[in-house]
Amino acid sequence: MFVFVCAGCGARLTTQLSEVALPVHAHQKYGNGTQLPVLMESGTFAVDPEPWGPPWRPWSEIDPDEASARGIYAPLHALSDSAPGAIVIAPGDVRGTLLILERSGGYCCGLDGADGPNMTCEACGLPVASRIDDCSLWQAVWLAPNAVRRCPVDGADAVPLSWEELMTEGSRKSSTPPFEPLTRWGERMGPHPWWSWSPQWEAAAGQALAHLLAASEGRPVTVPDGLTREVLQRALDALLPAGPPARRAVLAGPECPAVGADADIVLVPTHPRTGKTWTPADPAGPAASAYPVPLPFGVWLWLAFPEPYPPVLASGAIPDDVLRDDPPVPRPRHAFRADPEVFRHTLARLPAVRSPWLREILQNLTQHMRAGIF
């Protein structure tokens, strides 16, 4: 466990926190005017290893060698020149800070952090963090890495759960439903939620789709039937040629059936705390030689062990011995679309994007979005 303190005066700025993996959707911008919830679970923090936020430099000013050194192999709109290692926490876990009114950029519906740190240490006035709560952005506080220090708290830290422990019945509550009710800020008649594909799923699919294209080697790719197919196959069919023999992708991970020798690609979970990708116990088995495509644990869990339908929001608790008879949750009206910016962010950082056909997909991403693929 850790607390974060001001690098200027040592004042305490957070509650006790434990480190978890950075969510795939951490920098996601979703829809227009959508009211997104808090990004991080209370009591946790995550670190972004890459620079993010102002100041930004346009791609035309970036030397190709500099981009490659930063692990970026295809053109992007711009690159951040901020310090790497920003720490994201839930807004309710902040202590001893004040807003900087002169840096309160955003205000479509809230703050977006575009003007740089907008929170100061209450004790000494040093800018230490950015509060984000504008529409279509995940609510969070990003601590500036050069303005805070991480201090360990006395006492043993919790050991990350093993994959076997994550798969217990209690831990399966961490699965992420594929669709959920969303609302918009500023509705004149009050909040009116509508059922939509989960923003977390769209971000996870954007990341997975980039890896699937890199693993395809320019050949068609097939994924398992059911929800996995509904989420990924339409985009794969649109972006890959139909002629050559297809490469087969399967779900793999703890408690999954053994991977067959004909599997070329495996869709595997990432640990929610460490961020490490699941690896098979047998280093010589088919799963070990297949290309691993990472999925957030909550999304992977739903794909590998689907529930009949997402739980309906209800008040109170239902006893364990009571069977639910709720009607099925309304499904979204539109086909699933992966998040285009998460896809762009991921694919640009895979060395395979140097291939001309993958580079062309990135260059034509806007056209693919207009066609409804993303």
Side-chain angles (χ1 to χ4, degrees):
M1 301 291 287
F2 300 90
V3 296
F4 289 89
V5 301
C6 174
C9 68
R12 184 168 174 169
L13 300 176
T14 71
T15 59
Q16 295 185 16
L17 306 170
S18 60
E19 187 170 6
V20 297
L22 182 72
V24 174
H25 53 284
H27 297 296
Q28 183 183 33
K29 182 177 177 63
Y30 188 83
N32 182 19
T34 306
Q35 183 176 347
L36 292 178
V38 173
L39 174 66
M40 301 298 296
E41 182 180 351
S42 181
T44 67
F45 74 94
V47 179
D48 189 344
E50 293 193 32
W52 188 268
W56 296 89
R57 271 194 298 157
W59 184 260
S60 58
E61 297 180 4
I62 306 296
D63 183 89
D65 292 337
E66 177 190 352
S68 296
R70 292 176 61 166
I72 300 169
Y73 308 105
L76 298 173
H77 299 310
L79 289 184
S80 171
D81 263 355
S82 66
I87 303 102
V88 62
I89 65 175
D93 289 336
V94 177
R95 299 291 184 269
T97 59
L98 298 171
L99 281 174
I100 307 173
L101 298 182
E102 296 79 12
R103 293 188 181 180
S104 299
Y107 278 119
C108 176
C109 299
L111 308 174
D112 65 4
D115 295 334
N118 56 26
M119 302 176 72
T120 65
C121 170
E122 185 177 16
C124 70
L126 179 70
V128 292
S130 294
R131 173 73 161 99
I132 308 293
D133 58 13
D134 207 353
C135 59
S136 299
L137 301 176
W138 290 87
Q139 299 182 48
V141 167
W142 289 85
L143 301 174
N146 53 2
V148 300
R149 290 187 290 109
R150 182 194 309 194
C151 297
V153 178
D154 292 339
D157 196 6
V159 177
L161 296 177
S162 67
W163 289 109
E164 290 73 20
E165 291 169 330
L166 281 173
M167 294 301 295
T168 62
E169 286 299 321
S171 296
R172 290 195 182 189
K173 295 179 181 178
S174 62
S175 65
T176 306
F179 36 90
E180 61 185 79
L182 297 177
T183 58
R184 290 187 175 92
W185 286 105
E187 294 282 359
R188 293 183 178 181
M189 303 302 292
H192 293 282
W194 79 98
W195 283 93
S196 169
W197 289 103
S198 165
Q200 296 184 52
W201 274 66
E202 295 189 12
Q207 180 191 58
L209 186 58
H211 281 279
L212 284 166
L213 292 180
S216 73
E217 300 177 355
R219 294 161 51 186
V221 170
T222 63
V223 298
D225 289 335
L227 190 56
T228 309
R229 183 177 182 84
E230 184 176 4
V231 167
L232 295 170
Q233 195 66 62
R234 189 170 69 95
L236 290 170
D237 291 345
L239 298 173
L240 292 170
R247 290 173 66 81
R248 180 169 174 258
V250 301
L251 287 160
E255 297 188 12
C256 279
V259 174
D262 60 338
D264 306 292
I265 304 166
V266 287
L267 302 164
V268 295
T270 56
H271 197 285
R273 179 165 176 185
T274 66
K276 293 182 179 180
T277 302
W278 176 87
T279 55
D282 181 7
S289 59
Y291 185 111
V293 173
L295 286 169
F297 179 74
V299 173
W300 173 88
L301 192 60
W302 196 284
L303 290 175
F305 304 96
E307 299 183 23
Y309 48 82
V312 175
L313 298 178
S315 60
I318 298 177
D320 293 336
D321 58 347
V322 174
L323 296 177
R324 300 188 63 136
D325 59 355
D326 304 303
V329 168
R331 288 180 60 88
R333 297 180 180 178
H334 62 82
F336 183 88
R337 294 189 291 265
D339 189 290
E341 293 307 318
V342 176
F343 171 79
R344 187 200 308 270
H345 177 92
T346 305
L347 187 55
R349 287 159 174 78
L350 298 178
V353 78
R354 295 189 179 106
S355 301
W357 69 274
L358 273 177
R359 185 70 63 91
E360 185 178 358
I361 289 176
L362 273 188
Q363 292 171 345
N364 296 331
L365 188 55
T366 300
Q367 287 86 339
H368 296 315
M369 292 168 62
R370 290 171 181 166
I373 299 172
F374 292 92

